[in-house]
Amino acid sequence: MRRLASCILPFALAVALAGCASPRSNFYTLNSAAKPVATRADYSVAVGPVSVPAAVDRPQIVVRLAPNQVAIDEFHRWASPLPDAISRVIAENLAAMLGTPHVTVFTQPTAAGARYRVLVDVLRFESALGETANLDAVWTVRSTKDGTTRSGRTTASEPVPDREYATLAAAHSRALGRLSADLAGAIQALERGQ
């Protein structure tokens, strides 16, 4: 009987511990979707810093449940800090949209001598599964050559047709594409001297 108890006890303990194991976390990224243009530009652009609201500046994806209620999902997370991911996607989009390989994120050493500096303050980065991904950002593009600036505001709402987090991340990526297009237009206008 003792021998049977000594065999069953470790097995029961292993089963109990397996039942307490937490679910696996899933990680998501934002991606550039911009198509490269045929024309080439030789100027350089530094993107950043990018700020985001404190409510979403966390590894977990924050999902809106109601107008005044959100949920922080412990098992669906951003693969990198949100400000870094947004900066990277904007830089990738601008490189494609402007036709210049000289687009960097501000924290990189190569950003120091950039011809244009892009600053973005994200006011709203809202996620609603099965509904929309909303982006509202104010931005400034500054020429480091003569100090002239162009400022604007981009508001984008992209549909999220299902309740999948990957679909939500893709919708946010499309919204950032719209922001990037506005930034590219501002840089081109400064380049033309308008």
Side-chain angles (χ1 to χ4, degrees), residues 2 78 99 118 143 190:
R2 261 191 173 177
W78 295 113
V118 174
S143 167
L190 285 171

Side-chain angles (χ1 to χ4, degrees), residues 9-84:
L9 185 61
F11 178 73
L13 185 59
V15 169
L17 288 176
C20 294
S22 61
R24 182 177 63 95
S25 290
N26 296 294
F27 295 89
Y28 302 89
T29 61
L30 298 169
N31 293 307
S32 168
K35 304 286 185 250
V37 295
T39 58
R40 302 306 266 160
D42 194 33
Y43 49 82
S44 57
V45 180
V47 177
V50 170
S51 65
V52 298
V56 296
D57 193 8
R58 60 183 68 239
Q60 303 90 342
I61 296 179
V62 178
V63 177
R64 181 176 50 81
L65 300 177
N68 297 312
Q69 183 181 13
V70 296
I72 298 172
D73 196 316
E74 291 295 332
F75 302 108
H76 295 279
R77 297 170 171 254
W78 295 113
S80 62
L82 203 49
D84 295 350

Side-chain angles (χ1 to χ4, degrees), residues 50 52 80-90 105 107:
V50 170
V52 298
S80 62
L82 203 49
D84 295 350
I86 292 171
S87 297
R88 177 188 51 79
V89 169
I90 291 172
V105 174
T107 57

